[in-house]
Amino acid sequence: YGSGAAELMALKGIDLDIDAGEFVAIMGPSGSGKSTLMNIIGSLDRPTSGSYQLDGVPVENLDETELARLRNRKIGFVFQSFKLLPRHSALANVEVPLVYGRVAKAERSRLAAESLRRVGLSDRMDHHPNQLSGGQQQRVAIARAMVTSPVLLLADEPTGALDTEMTDQIMKLFCDLHQSGMTVVLVTHEPMVAAYAERIVRFRDGRIVSDEANRERAHAH
């Protein structure tokens, strides 16, 4: 970021492999490079140098149209702030990635309804975000993230706006998605949240300082 004297290198020679079907937590203090890593994994940013491959595809070689298509088909995003459209129902919010993917309307509705059922919100499909609790809004966001059957679910501080009980519910949902075969990568600074992952990668000052299996995994299935 920046140039000359103001240049900041957010990531310094990272070498990281995440296998299909893994559940990985990325941890580290503010400014450690977590968000930049997440943006590169999510194909929102390109690495200045080096290579990043997603599902065997070298991302740095793609143009903007190909990148957008890759993000839409292969990656589901979940954010701390939910990022739901306030004037749309839960069902319409979940349909958004399918609209971009040019899926026919009837099929969109079917897939979105099935996705909401998987997160336990069949009875809330017609509700707008302001009619839902924080935990329910995050479940709508997770339903939206997985409606395209992505190979990778990326979650950036997904429980940051939730209380302990809601956090537990959301993390159990991530565990269920992981159990179904989805690759889950989440960024968090909360040990309680990271405890659900099977592997924890810790960052400091743009470098990986530890990368190990989580031996104290919470609520292991």
Side-chain angles (χ1 to χ4, degrees):
Y1 298 102
S3 59
E7 187 176 82
L8 169 71
M9 194 179 288
L11 295 173
K12 301 165 186 171
I14 297 303
D15 188 1
L16 179 66
D17 286 305
I18 294 173
D19 291 329
E22 278 200 284
F23 186 175
V24 180
I26 310 278
M27 294 195 77
S30 293
S32 60
K34 302 190 305 293
S35 294
T36 298
L37 178 77
M38 205 64 156
N39 286 345
I40 290 174
I41 292 175
S43 304
L44 298 168
D45 283 344
R46 297 173 191 262
T48 314
S49 61
S51 177
Y52 165 50
Q53 293 197 2
L54 173 62
D55 205 22
V57 178
V59 172
E60 64 276 5
N61 297 337
L62 303 181
D63 64 27
E64 290 303 324
T65 305
E66 291 167 326
L67 268 180
R69 190 178 300 126
L70 181 88
R71 282 194 298 269
N72 184 262
R73 292 183 180 170
K74 300 231 179 217
I75 306 171
F77 293 94
V78 181
F79 304 96
Q80 176 177 340
S81 58
F82 317 140
K83 294 191 186 287
L84 300 178
L85 300 170
R87 295 192 177 87
H88 286 58
S89 66
L91 188 73
N93 266 285
V94 176
E95 286 182 1
V96 167
L98 301 171
V99 174
Y100 285 115
R102 299 190 175 159
V103 176
K105 176 131 185 47
E107 181 69 356
R108 284 204 308 263
S109 296
R110 186 189 71 77
L111 290 169
E114 169 62 18
S115 203
L116 283 165
R117 186 195 63 74
R118 283 184 70 186
V119 301
L121 288 178
S122 290
D123 57 343
R124 294 284 191 276
M125 292 195 194
D126 297 327
H127 287 58
H128 286 65
N130 65 358
Q131 299 171 304
L132 301 170
S133 69
Q136 288 170 334
Q137 288 186 60
Q138 191 57 295
R139 279 192 276 165
V140 172
I142 292 169
R144 179 184 59 196
M146 65 189 209
V147 73
T148 56
S149 300
V151 296
L152 173 64
L153 194 61
L154 271 185
D156 194 358
E157 300 281 2
T159 60
L162 305 177
D163 63 24
T164 304
E165 185 181 347
M166 290 290 187
T167 293
D168 194 46
Q169 288 179 19
I170 294 299
M171 292 315 301
K172 284 178 175 168
L173 181 51
F174 279 122
C175 285
D176 290 343
L177 292 172
H178 166 242
Q179 289 289 311
S180 74
M182 196 170 281
T183 309
V184 179
V185 179
L186 68 87
V187 163
T188 183
H189 63 273
E190 299 177 63
M192 179 186 128
V193 170
Y196 287 86
E198 25 175 47
R199 176 180 161 201
I200 299 177
V201 181
R202 297 178 193 276
F203 274 72
R204 186 175 300 279
D205 300 327
R207 291 189 168 91
I208 295 173
V209 292
S210 69
D211 180 356
E212 53 200 19
N214 179 12
R215 291 179 182 79
E216 299 170 18
R217 195 173 178 205
H219 305 275
H221 290 255

